[in-house]
Amino acid sequence: MDQAEQLRIIKAGMQPKPLARVITVTSGKGGVGKSNTSINLAVQFRKMDKKVIILDADFGLANIEIMFGAVPKHNLHDLIYQGKSITEIITWGPAEVGFISGGSGIAGMSNLSRDYLAYIIQNLAQLDSIADIIIVDTGAGISDAVLEFLVASGEILLVTTPEPTSITDSYSLLKALYRHPRFDENASKVKMIANRVGNEKEGEILFGKLNAVVERYLKIPMSYLGGIPEDANLSRSVMQQMPVSLQHPEAKSTAAYEKIALRLLDRKEAQRQPKRGMAAFFSHIITGKNIR
């Protein structure tokens, strides 16, 4: 019996119900507001009475904890290699949004023994009973680690700005994803968010430009969630390490995040997006190649 078959058996016997909705937020380049989007969507989901956990999977950069102004005692590495429980590695930030620092914990998981993988996935599966929504905040760019997370995700939010380099890098990321041997365009839905736009029309035009090229060359179905406007309140909130959705509830960027969160939680949208849960998410990663 190979490792993939072993993990399928493990998953089948232990996944709790109901499963959490796993949303992966990514971008083609750094500095486009990806982590800000993750945090503010999490806050908006909390306002809608959803329990939310963010997994900071941006290895080497602690964006989520910096933006939350909180320092975690433990991270995913401690669960995998130090025997910490899943509840011990969750840090609770503003609005009772939980987050887990990924650290370097996921690298090399595919080299672990079957029994130890069972232990890890069983712990990760507990997140399904803790959270309604799990947001995976990936690193920026086209690394093997980012692509493995995207391939494992059924719901991908791509953050893009009107800058030409952002558009080009977003397309490059989607092209790399399309060429990945385990990518299934029917199982992974890509949804774009236009950040730092002048108005909603500018966001729609930005989506149209990127989507036209993607449809022509990659054949990846992509939908548009909405735009986040340029907002001085958002910039000030970042400097003060507090989500704009909490610090400036009247800000135009806050209203935009709320609109996107409502769209994601729309009943028809939710029905189109089957819940996989964290055990399935990480098993997909582990049965693939090593993340480096």
Side-chain angles (χ1 to χ4, degrees):
M1 184 184 299
D2 63 13
Q3 187 185 66
E5 180 62 25
Q6 291 170 345
L7 289 172
R8 280 192 289 270
I9 293 172
I10 294 167
K11 286 194 304 175
M14 70 182 192
Q15 280 187 337
K17 303 292 183 181
L19 299 176
R21 181 174 175 180
V22 181
I23 299 174
T24 303
V25 182
T26 193
S27 63
K29 67 187 291 288
V32 300
K34 172 183 56 63
S35 296
N36 234 328
T37 299
S38 296
I39 287 172
N40 281 286
L41 286 180
V43 170
Q44 292 298 335
F45 289 142
R46 282 294 301 129
K47 290 182 177 181
M48 298 167 194
D49 205 29
K50 299 295 181 181
K51 294 176 289 185
V52 188
I53 300 286
I54 301 175
L55 171 61
D56 188 350
D58 193 348
F59 305 136
L61 296 175
N63 286 339
I64 299 299
E65 60 192 74
I66 290 172
M67 291 181 178
F68 266 162
V71 179
K73 292 182 179 179
H74 303 291
N75 57 32
L76 192 58
H77 183 279
D78 296 318
L79 180 142
I80 297 171
Y81 301 106
Q82 301 298 325
K84 297 296 181 182
S85 69
I86 194 69
T87 54
E88 287 179 297
I89 69 169
I90 298 174
T91 301
W92 297 98
E96 296 183 338
V97 173
F99 73 91
I100 297 173
S101 175
S104 58
I106 300 169
M109 282 178 69
S110 57
N111 294 324
L112 299 175
S113 69
R114 174 191 179 278
D115 290 341
Y116 208 64
L117 286 173
Y119 162 77
I120 294 166
I121 296 177
Q122 191 169 13
N123 270 272
L124 291 168
Q126 292 179 35
L127 289 173
D128 291 325
S129 61
I130 297 173
D132 300 307
I133 299 172
I134 298 168
I135 297 176
V136 180
D137 186 61
T138 75
I142 313 173
S143 68
D144 287 346
V146 169
L147 290 175
E148 289 298 324
F149 279 114
L150 299 185
V151 167
S153 181
E155 192 167 6
I156 300 167
L157 307 191
L158 175 64
V159 181
T160 309
T161 72
E163 296 178 9
T165 53
S166 177
I167 300 171
T168 301
D169 289 339
S170 291
Y171 175 76
S172 296
L173 175 63
L174 292 175
K175 182 169 68 174
L177 180 62
Y178 177 72
R179 292 178 175 177
H180 195 287
R182 291 187 293 110
F183 175 66
D184 181 356
E185 63 268 21
N186 296 314
S188 298
K189 305 302 182 185
V190 180
K191 307 170 185 182
M192 199 197 91
I193 295 174
N195 195 28
R196 299 175 189 156
V197 293
N199 50 55
E200 187 58 37
K201 185 65 176 178
E202 184 179 338
E204 292 170 358
I205 292 172
L206 173 58
F207 170 73
K209 288 180 180 178
L210 180 59
N211 191 48
V213 182
V214 170
E215 281 187 337
R216 181 175 180 180
Y217 295 106
L218 304 182
K219 307 296 190 295
I220 296 177
M222 189 166 64
S223 59
Y224 180 58
L225 283 176
I228 310 297
E230 281 278 11
D231 187 359
N233 285 319
L234 195 155
S235 299
R236 283 193 288 268
S237 294
V238 171
M239 295 299 294
Q240 295 167 5
Q241 296 179 285
M242 180 64 66
V244 68
S245 293
L246 290 176
Q247 190 157 22
H248 298 285
E250 76 294 341
K252 56 184 180 179
S253 56
T254 297
Y257 285 123
E258 180 183 20
K259 186 176 179 180
I260 291 173
L262 285 168
R263 188 167 294 170
L264 286 167
L265 292 184
D266 176 78
R267 181 174 296 178
K268 291 182 179 179
E269 179 71 22
Q271 288 175 344
R272 286 194 294 266
Q273 196 64 54
K275 295 179 180 178
R276 291 185 176 182
M278 284 304 282
F281 181 85
F282 270 94
S283 293
H284 198 297
I285 294 173
I286 291 167
T287 54
K289 62 185 179 180
N290 293 341
I291 296 177
R292 300 193 187 280

